[in-house]
Amino acid sequence: MFYIHCPYCQEYREEEEFHPRGQGHLMRPADPDNATDEEWGDYLFFRDNPRGIHHELWVHSVGCRKFFNITRNTVTYEILETYPMGEQPTITAESEKLRKEQGVQTADGGWQTIGAQPDSRALNEEISS
Amino acid sequence: MSNASAREFNTVPAGNPGVESPLAWSYRQQKVSSPASAGVVLREKALLGHMVLRGGAIVLDEAVRQVLGMSLPAKPNTITRDEAGERSIQWISPDEWLVIVPGGEEFDLEHRLRESLGDAHFSIVNVSGGQTVLMLAGDHAREVLMKTVSFDVHPSAFPVGKGVTTIFAKATVVLRRASETEWELVIRRSFADYCYRWLLDAASEYGVDSQ
Ligand SMILES: [Zn+2]
């Protein structure tokens, strides 16, 4: 069972009290009268299904009954952050990728890269110099 | 939304009709008493006035201060009570509070709150008929709750004056710590019998007094 921090109740609650409601930050077409079928289709039916970082809408259904957002890793199920409606995530797929590529700093001041991708080595040299 | 023209309806009929609490039937079916050894005591605080207030915290706070002489709890999951301990206001969500007052006061209170709030953006709903309060006490009350709710009921996580809406044996209750020894469960009318029988079962090993 997960222990989820509700940003409105401001404490951790049991997973049983929550319900997931799919992808977060969905924007209704700003000008609905002039939106194309494709825009409506994207808004109504098409959802991201990423491997890794995903921003989701959840509701504290047995509790304060407020909706909020969760940044979650769909591979590890790790919940990275929860934040109220109207706010933007501090952790994104890009920021996580950057963190992994930069790796951990070793004792001799060099960089040890997790994954050791060629392009991330160049990035590390750039940062450490 | 203007509340000035909102219709008020006194849910207590004129005359003196017989009233029954949501647990009346359950009590008739199953009343347990083992006074000397009871580790768990169950009592219904029947037919109280329950009201749900919704709106902005600042406007509502001003109104309840004026009408009830109490402040609105601003901190999540907390309850304020008057000196007698008879009236309480509980934080339910950032824009929702549960007010519980002695039975019979609710209609007058609703009227005075509406007057005080005037044209502000708010909602008051009298939910007295929809829920009831069950008091749980005794040396083993906490053990019974540990079997029933996933929320941590240890005193360090659940001090006196705290109240949460949580899952109670797959049903929903508002769980409140009224004092060092007493817990209050605000339960839905339709779940009252289920919760009552669950508590009797969960508490039977400690001895129950539900007189
Ligand atoms: Zn909550």
Side-chain angles (χ1 to χ4, degrees):
Chain A
M1 294 294 267
F2 291 114
Y3 224 30
I4 300 172
H5 187 269
C6 172
Y8 295 103
C9 293
Q10 290 167 27
E11 63 181 12
Y12 283 90
R13 296 291 185 92
E14 195 66 40
E15 178 192 358
E16 215 180 346
E17 294 186 11
F18 299 87
H19 278 294
R21 286 292 171 88
Q23 186 183 338
H25 302 288
L26 291 176
M27 295 294 281
R28 188 182 162 87
D31 184 7
D33 289 334
N34 296 309
T36 62
D37 284 355
E38 199 183 340
E39 281 173 318
W40 275 115
D42 278 350
Y43 169 66
L44 289 170
F45 305 114
F46 289 90
R47 298 290 179 263
D48 297 339
N49 184 21
R51 180 183 160 84
I53 305 300
H54 194 211
H55 306 290
E56 297 172 341
L57 183 68
W58 284 60
V59 59
H60 192 185
S61 43
V62 181
C64 61
R65 304 194 299 275
K66 292 285 175 205
F67 285 84
F68 62 98
N69 299 295
I70 287 184
T71 302
R72 199 173 66 87
N73 189 319
T74 58
V75 179
T76 61
Y77 296 146
E78 188 185 0
I79 291 169
L80 300 161
E81 61 175 343
T82 62
Y83 50 100
M85 296 306 291
E87 285 187 14
Q88 293 300 314
T90 61
I91 299 165
T92 60
E94 288 72 41
S95 75
E96 274 298 276
K97 206 171 147 213
L98 203 66
R99 191 175 67 88
K100 282 221 174 83
E101 281 169 357
Q102 284 172 1
V104 282
Q105 198 168 12
T106 54
D108 63 349
W111 288 84
Q112 186 185 333
T113 313
I114 302 166
Q117 292 144 325
D119 54 327
S120 61
R121 194 170 300 132
L123 186 73
N124 289 343
E125 276 159 12
E126 219 179 301
I127 288 166
S128 53
S129 61
Chain B
M1 185 184 70
S2 167
N3 284 277
S5 59
R7 292 215 179 170
E8 291 170 16
F9 173 66
N10 193 346
T11 51
V12 180
N16 196 15
V19 282
E20 278 194 337
S21 86
L23 276 168
W25 186 83
S26 317
Y27 273 128
R28 277 203 293 274
Q29 296 293 309
Q30 216 175 348
K31 223 173 194 183
V32 191
S33 183
S34 48
S37 60
V40 176
V41 180
L42 276 175
R43 291 281 183 278
E44 189 191 7
K45 295 183 176 176
L47 305 172
L48 300 179
H50 298 235
M51 265 187 300
V52 171
L53 297 190
R54 301 201 68 168
I58 294 164
V59 205
L60 288 178
D61 182 54
E62 212 169 281
V64 293
R65 272 172 198 275
Q66 191 188 333
V67 174
L68 271 167
M70 293 162 68
S71 62
L72 207 66
K75 224 179 129 219
N77 311 309
T78 54
I79 304 168
T80 51
R81 282 173 198 273
D82 68 349
E83 272 169 34
E86 285 181 325
R87 293 165 194 83
S88 64
I89 308 176
Q90 180 179 357
W91 184 98
I92 296 287
S93 99
D95 56 5
E96 180 177 347
W97 286 265
L98 173 66
V99 180
I100 299 184
V101 295
E105 279 185 19
E106 66 274 14
F107 184 61
D108 179 53
L109 178 62
E110 182 185 342
H111 179 73
R112 279 157 53 214
L113 281 172
R114 280 189 193 283
E115 241 174 24
S116 163
L117 285 158
D119 280 338
H121 185 68
F122 71 98
S123 128
I124 303 175
V125 181
N126 182 346
V127 293
S128 309
Q131 51 197 34
T132 190
V133 179
L134 201 54
M135 190 272 286
L136 184 70
D139 297 340
H140 293 280
R142 190 158 69 89
E143 275 95 328
V144 171
L145 287 174
M146 283 160 67
K147 291 201 259 184
T148 313
V149 295
S150 56
F151 199 89
D152 188 358
V153 289
H154 189 271
S156 62
F158 213 127
V160 174
K162 182 166 182 160
V164 298
T165 312
T166 190
I167 293 197
F168 176 96
K170 295 181 186 171
T172 306
V173 298
V174 177
L175 179 64
R176 300 145 59 104
R177 185 126 184 255
S179 69
E180 289 294 334
T181 52
E182 265 187 37
W183 297 81
E184 282 174 345
L185 308 167
V186 183
I187 51 180
R188 300 272 180 166
R189 179 178 199 99
S190 51
F191 281 101
D193 183 55
Y194 165 74
C195 292
Y196 175 71
R197 286 194 285 168
W198 174 284
L199 284 167
L200 287 190
D201 185 40
S204 63
E205 65 173 296
Y206 311 113
V208 204
D209 171 12
S210 72
Q211 199 64 61

